[in-house]
């Protein structure tokens, strides 16, 4: 097997610290396994003295198979695993921990859900997303060994997060469990308090190799530094340009810290991309070059120029979905496998129109993550209730849903009994209150007006004439949440309704879309066929023949919420990761109108045209 000059340097590195900057598609796994082979066969290092750390079990399993294949099928006692797996092994040895002491993720989420459900000061649209944010922030507090009293939460009010965290920790300890983050913190504490234990593990692991080093956090780094003494045979492989997990507590700056902590570090750049064409690599470099905090490197492509990068401007989400799905069909018809086509997006709501179009066209697709259903939101339920009532069939459930959205001063007792609601009966309930008669008359008149309208026009009428926008503003104030987040949901629903002439047509589509999402959630792991749909974060480490990056608009990528939290540079790295998943074809789309308002292309798209 032939290696390029940089790969040869990395493979033949023997002793001392080494930082390998591995660009996308540069053969980093190949380099790591061949260095292990070199250490064993040329440097005569005993396999049991080698520790290889990856960030996922999948990566560790793949590394083991690659090494076994390279060593002619021999299974060598090289220790390979994730940070959590390795540190848990050390804790097991020190404290005789067993599986019964580990807080399974499922149970951890269940406990947090229970704590959150008991709170009345929280208004949450998607519980799964909120739960994920809380879990991420608990990890950040623990992995940075931060003070919970000083930590400022981004997912909810600091005092609310603090009480959730403290309640979680109290209940976790009562259950005598440790979670994944505790494994790291307890390992750090063990090595600080027990030099004898540290010395034992230092003697065992004389050579340490770390993959995806840009994803490391402070406590992982601190433990590794202790473990690598006194020999300092630390071989760190990563790419600062692909550091996209700041929101989880990863700290890409530790790659720069590595050089300060180990001034004798040998630095090697794997700068040949074997995955993507020249055009893809050159354009991706153009974007990432705008980041200030990075190791300067120029990545070259091994492949020829290939297809030009295509940037497509479309009118709105519906036209974007139509364009992207027609392009997908074109590639499928030329023999490209569905699994080799990926549609990437920044946040889940960006892909709703594309999913709806794929369902319509009966094109199989696979979603990697749970996607919250827009139509499960209370705003969607309100709108649908109004439209169903406008058809003349006023059920008690629909009436109760919207009778005071906006406030009409109608009481639940006005809808007593189990049958449908009659405006005549309502008037009788309030016959002594003339001002209520006017409100009931207006309510009935509004439903008659809605009956004549297409869904899009009806939603505008509900917002402006009926006063639903005013209701949302008051609702947001009373719950202490941003009105803009509710307005965005409502605008997204309005946009979704646009193509349909009647409420019945739209309801049929909602039902098909909801069924499809539900089916995908249930058979997520069983059915792996179809076009790949995933967030940019989920795409890291993967590669595809053709990649579509959609909704590349300012506010979406960089995502306005993330800009405040992790900054523009991490968002630009995320866009770079999305671009470099493509092997042959890369298409980028942006809309001119988003939820009825003018939208501008992302600043990253502008950088492509410089």
């Amino acid at each position: 097997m032939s290696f390029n000059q940089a790969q040869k340097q990395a493979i033949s590195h023997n002793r001392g610290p080494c930082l390998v900057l591995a660009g996308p598609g540069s053969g980093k796994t190949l380099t790591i396994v061949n260095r292990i082979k070199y250490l064993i066969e040329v440097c005569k290092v005993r396999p049991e003295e080698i520790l290889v750390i990856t960030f996922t079990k999948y990566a560790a399993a793949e590394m083991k198979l690659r090494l076994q294949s390279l060593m002619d099928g021999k299974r060598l006692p090289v220790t390979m695993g994730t940070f959590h797996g390795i540190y848990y092994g050390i804790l097991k040895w020190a404290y005789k921990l067993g599986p019964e002491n580990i807080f399974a993720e499922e149970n951890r989420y269940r406990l947090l859900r229970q704590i959150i459900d008991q709170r009345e000061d929280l208004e949450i649209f998607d519980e799964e997303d909120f739960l994920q944010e809380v879990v991420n922030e608990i990890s950040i507090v623990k992995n940075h060994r931060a003070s919970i009293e000083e930590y400022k939460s981004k997912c909810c009010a600091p005092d609310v997060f603090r009480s959730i965290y403290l309640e979680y920790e109290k209940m976790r300890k009562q259950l005598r469990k440790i979670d994944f983050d505790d494994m790291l913190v307890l390992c750090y504490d063990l090595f600080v308090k027990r030099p004898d234990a540290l010395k034992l593990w230092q003697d065992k692991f004389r050579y340490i190799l770390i993959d995806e080093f840009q994803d490391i956090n402070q406590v992982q780094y601190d433990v590794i530094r202790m473990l690598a003494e006194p020999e300092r045979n630390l071989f760190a492989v990563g790419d600062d340009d692909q550091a996209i997990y700041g929101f989880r507590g990863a700290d890409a700056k530790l790659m720069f810290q590595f050089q300060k902590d180990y001034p004798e570090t040998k630095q090697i750049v794997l700068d040949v991309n074997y995955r993507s064409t020249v055009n893809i690599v050159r354009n991706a470099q153009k974007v990432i070059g705008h980041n200030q905090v990075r190791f300067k490197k120029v990545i070259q492509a091994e492949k020829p120029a290939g297809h030009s990068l295509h940037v497509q401007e479309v009118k709105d989400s519906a036209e974007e979905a139509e364009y992207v799905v027609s392009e997908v069909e074109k590639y499928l018809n030329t023999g490209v496998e569905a699994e080799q086509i990926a549609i990437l997006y920044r946040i889940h709501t960006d892909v709703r129109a594309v999913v709806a179009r794929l369902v319509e066209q009966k094109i199989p697709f696979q979603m990697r993550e749970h996607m919250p259903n827009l139509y499960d939101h209370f705003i969607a339920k309100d709108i649908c209730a109004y439209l169903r009532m406008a058809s003349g069939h006023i059920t008690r459930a629909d009436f109760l849903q919207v009778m005071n959205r906006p406030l009409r001063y109608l009481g639940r007792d006005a809808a007593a009994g189990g049958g449908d609601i009659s405006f005549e009966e309502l008037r009788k309930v309030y016959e002594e209150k003339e001002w209520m008669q006017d409100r009931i008359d207006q309510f009935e008149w509004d439903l008659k007006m809605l009956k004549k309208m297409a869904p899009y026009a009806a939603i505008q009428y509900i917002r402006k004439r009926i006063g639903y926008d005013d209701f949302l503003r008051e609702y947001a104030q009373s719950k202490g949440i941003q009105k803009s987040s509710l307005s965005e949901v409502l605008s997204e629903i309005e946009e979704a309704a646009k193509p349909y002439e009647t409420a019945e047509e739209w309801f049929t589509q909602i039902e098909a879309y909801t069924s499809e999402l539900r089916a995908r959630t249930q058979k997520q792991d069983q059915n792996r066929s179809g076009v790949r749909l995933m967030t940019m974060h989920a795409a890291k480490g993967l590669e595809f023949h053709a990649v579509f990056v959609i909704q590349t608009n300012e506010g979406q990528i960089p995502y306005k919420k993330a800009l405040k939290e992790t900054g523009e540079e991490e968002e630009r790295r995320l866009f770079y990761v999305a671009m470099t998943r493509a092997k042959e074809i890369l298409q980028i789309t942006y809309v001119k109108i988003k939820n009825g308002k003018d939208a501008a292309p992302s600043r990253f798209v502008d950088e492509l045209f410089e």
Side-chain angles (χ1 to χ4, degrees):
M1 188 178 285
S2 62
F3 303 102
N4 65 39
Q5 201 51 44
Q7 286 172 333
K8 282 178 191 169
Q9 265 187 299
I11 289 165
S12 59
H13 176 75
N14 182 3
R15 301 185 62 79
C18 181
L19 181 63
V20 179
L21 302 171
S26 60
K28 87 185 154 58
T29 306
L30 177 83
T31 303
I32 292 169
V33 293
N34 275 280
R35 178 176 185 247
I36 298 168
K37 178 182 164 83
Y38 183 89
L39 286 174
I40 294 167
E41 293 184 347
V42 179
C43 305
K44 305 301 176 190
V45 175
R46 290 165 56 222
E48 48 268 45
E49 292 180 329
I50 300 171
L51 170 65
V52 184
I53 301 181
T54 67
F55 272 81
T56 65
K57 286 181 184 175
Y58 174 81
E62 188 192 6
M63 198 87 77
K64 278 179 189 169
L65 285 173
R66 293 275 287 268
L67 181 63
Q68 195 177 331
S69 167
L70 194 63
M71 305 303 282
D72 301 321
K74 276 189 289 186
R75 288 189 177 199
L76 299 170
V78 174
T79 301
M80 287 188 184
T82 63
F83 274 104
H84 290 99
I86 302 301
Y87 291 8
Y88 170 60
I90 293 169
L91 292 175
K92 210 159 87 169
W93 165 84
Y95 300 123
K96 306 291 182 280
L97 292 180
E100 69 281 359
N101 300 115
I102 303 303
F103 211 175
E105 281 298 274
E106 189 185 327
N107 295 335
R108 183 189 190 195
Y109 273 78
R110 192 176 294 134
L111 174 60
L112 277 165
R113 191 178 281 114
Q114 187 183 320
I115 293 167
I116 289 162
D117 285 348
Q118 285 167 356
R119 303 194 67 97
E120 292 178 3
D121 52 355
L122 282 171
E123 183 66 37
I124 303 161
F125 156 39
D126 185 69
E127 189 180 58
E128 293 302 317
D129 271 11
F130 179 73
L131 211 48
Q132 189 61 59
E133 286 176 1
V134 169
V135 169
N136 286 342
E137 293 208 14
I138 288 173
S139 295
I140 288 169
V141 171
K142 292 187 177 187
N143 292 332
H144 286 278
R145 302 200 308 283
S147 157
I148 186 61
E149 297 308 322
E150 292 168 23
Y151 180 75
K152 297 279 185 286
S153 171
K154 297 178 181 77
C155 70
C156 56
D159 59 322
V160 173
F161 175 76
R162 197 172 298 124
S163 67
I164 291 172
Y165 178 90
L166 293 171
E167 181 66 14
Y168 166 73
E169 281 295 276
K170 186 181 91 178
M171 294 177 80
R172 177 185 67 72
K173 286 169 185 170
Q174 282 172 357
L175 293 165
R176 297 182 180 278
K177 301 281 187 187
I178 63 168
D179 63 29
F180 269 34
D181 302 310
D182 296 323
M183 290 179 195
L184 310 178
V185 178
L186 290 173
C187 203
Y188 173 84
D189 291 342
L190 171 72
F191 284 170
V192 168
K193 292 170 187 166
R194 294 264 314 272
D196 60 319
L198 175 59
K199 173 79 168 60
L200 190 142
W201 290 98
Q202 285 171 336
D203 291 345
K204 174 165 175 57
F205 296 131
R206 292 180 51 239
Y207 288 81
I208 302 172
L209 298 85
I210 303 175
D211 189 16
E212 303 284 12
F213 190 66
Q214 76 280 351
D215 295 335
I216 202 166
N217 65 41
Q218 190 66 54
V219 72
Q220 289 166 340
Y221 181 69
D222 292 343
V223 173
I224 281 298
R225 283 200 65 207
M226 288 191 268
L227 208 48
E229 293 298 324
E231 298 194 43
R232 298 159 84 95
N233 294 325
L234 196 47
F235 187 81
V237 184
D239 182 9
D240 55 305
D241 288 336
Q242 295 185 72
I244 59 172
Y245 293 120
F247 68 96
R248 282 188 197 162
D251 188 355
K253 291 195 286 293
L254 291 170
M255 291 189 82
F256 299 93
Q257 186 62 38
F258 186 90
Q259 290 187 307
K260 291 176 186 168
D261 293 333
Y262 301 100
E264 73 275 31
T265 294
K266 181 177 182 180
Q267 185 180 303
I268 300 165
V269 182
L270 301 186
D271 56 2
V272 181
N273 181 321
Y274 294 95
R275 173 192 300 152
S276 310
T277 62
V278 167
N279 277 325
I280 292 168
V281 171
R282 192 178 64 231
N283 281 293
Q285 288 284 292
K286 207 189 284 189
V287 173
I288 201 64
H290 283 266
N291 272 4
Q292 300 301 307
V293 184
R294 65 185 290 260
F295 290 99
K296 298 296 179 217
K297 49 193 170 301
V298 179
I299 307 294
Q300 306 293 330
E302 175 75 2
K303 284 182 171 180
H307 297 267
S308 297
L309 166 69
H310 184 74
V311 179
Q312 182 71 36
E313 177 184 275
V314 290
K315 182 185 162 195
D316 54 20
S317 298
E319 192 174 284
E320 180 181 57
E322 203 175 317
Y323 171 77
V324 169
V325 173
S326 68
E327 288 292 292
V328 166
E329 285 180 306
K330 189 173 85 181
Y331 293 129
L332 291 173
N333 292 336
T334 59
V336 179
E337 289 179 13
E339 296 72 32
Q340 279 300 309
I341 301 172
I343 299 170
L344 309 183
Y345 40 91
R346 178 62 182 86
I347 56 169
H348 293 110
T349 50
D350 291 344
V351 77
R352 181 204 50 77
V354 171
V355 169
R357 186 72 181 163
L358 288 167
V359 171
E360 277 175 25
Q361 297 299 103
K362 296 185 170 49
I363 295 174
F365 63 94
Q366 175 64 40
M367 301 188 78
R368 193 153 182 194
E369 307 122 302
H370 158 74
M371 178 176 162
N373 185 356
L374 177 70
Y375 301 112
D376 285 341
H377 197 288
F378 81 82
I379 295 176
K381 288 177 178 171
D382 287 353
I383 298 297
C384 289
Y386 266 117
L387 295 186
R388 279 193 298 268
M389 286 164 66
S391 70
H393 183 55
I394 306 174
T395 65
R396 185 170 183 272
D398 282 340
F399 180 79
L400 290 173
Q401 178 89 23
V402 296
M403 66 182 185
N404 285 313
R405 297 184 173 188
L407 187 60
R408 297 183 178 93
Y409 298 96
L410 290 163
R412 287 181 74 88
D413 54 345
D420 290 355
I421 303 299
S422 149
F423 279 101
E424 283 310 312
E425 293 301 318
L426 271 182
R427 288 188 185 90
K428 285 177 189 170
V429 173
Y430 294 101
E431 62 188 348
E432 291 176 14
K433 294 178 181 173
E434 199 173 317
W435 60 278
M436 280 300 290
Q437 298 291 324
D438 292 341
R439 287 171 187 276
I440 294 165
D441 288 347
Q442 185 62 49
F443 196 175
E444 187 175 27
W445 170 256
D446 285 334
L447 292 181
K448 281 177 182 167
M449 294 301 290
L450 290 176
K451 186 174 186 176
K452 304 170 188 173
M453 298 176 184
Y456 182 72
I459 294 171
Q460 290 180 315
Y461 185 92
I462 292 166
R463 293 182 75 161
K464 308 298 178 202
R465 296 293 295 276
I466 292 180
Y468 194 80
D469 277 352
D470 296 334
F471 155 71
L472 281 187
R473 188 178 59 253
E474 288 160 14
Y475 182 86
Q477 280 172 349
S478 70
K479 297 289 184 183
I481 54 179
Q482 291 282 323
K483 184 194 177 258
S484 59
S485 60
L486 297 179
S487 297
E488 280 174 22
V489 173
L490 183 48
S491 296
E492 180 76 16
I493 293 162
E494 191 175 80
E495 190 76 18
K498 215 171 191 177
Y500 304 98
E501 289 180 21
T502 67
E504 289 70 29
E505 276 179 32
W506 188 35
F507 289 158
T508 302
Q509 159 55 11
I510 290 173
E511 207 173 300
Y513 177 82
T514 302
S515 300
E516 192 67 38
L517 280 192
R518 199 176 293 123
R520 269 162 215 292
T521 305
Q522 287 165 355
K523 58 183 181 185
Q524 197 70 359
D525 297 320
Q526 299 156 25
N527 176 19
R528 308 306 296 172
S529 64
V531 176
R532 299 303 197 230
L533 271 62
M534 65 190 80
T535 61
M536 297 175 184
H537 281 105
K540 187 168 175 287
L542 304 176
E543 58 182 37
F544 304 93
H545 177 86
V547 169
F548 295 87
V549 186
I550 65 169
Q551 297 274 317
T552 56
N553 285 83
E554 197 63 19
Q556 301 304 109
I557 176 76
Y559 185 41
K560 56 182 178 294
K561 185 178 164 192
L563 274 177
K564 295 176 197 159
E565 294 171 15
T566 51
E568 181 181 311
E569 297 222 339
E570 178 150 324
E571 287 291 289
R572 188 177 281 108
R573 292 194 291 266
L574 189 54
F575 190 61
Y576 175 75
V577 165
M579 291 179 74
T580 53
R581 299 311 93 202
K583 295 196 279 190
E584 301 290 337
I585 294 157
L586 176 61
Q587 290 205 34
I588 292 170
T589 60
Y590 65 87
V591 298
K592 287 198 292 182
I593 299 168
K594 175 85 175 164
N595 296 336
K597 293 176 186 165
D598 288 345
S602 164
R603 64 191 77 174
F604 306 148
V605 172
D606 289 342
E607 288 164 7
L608 286 168
F609 290 112
E610 286 172 8

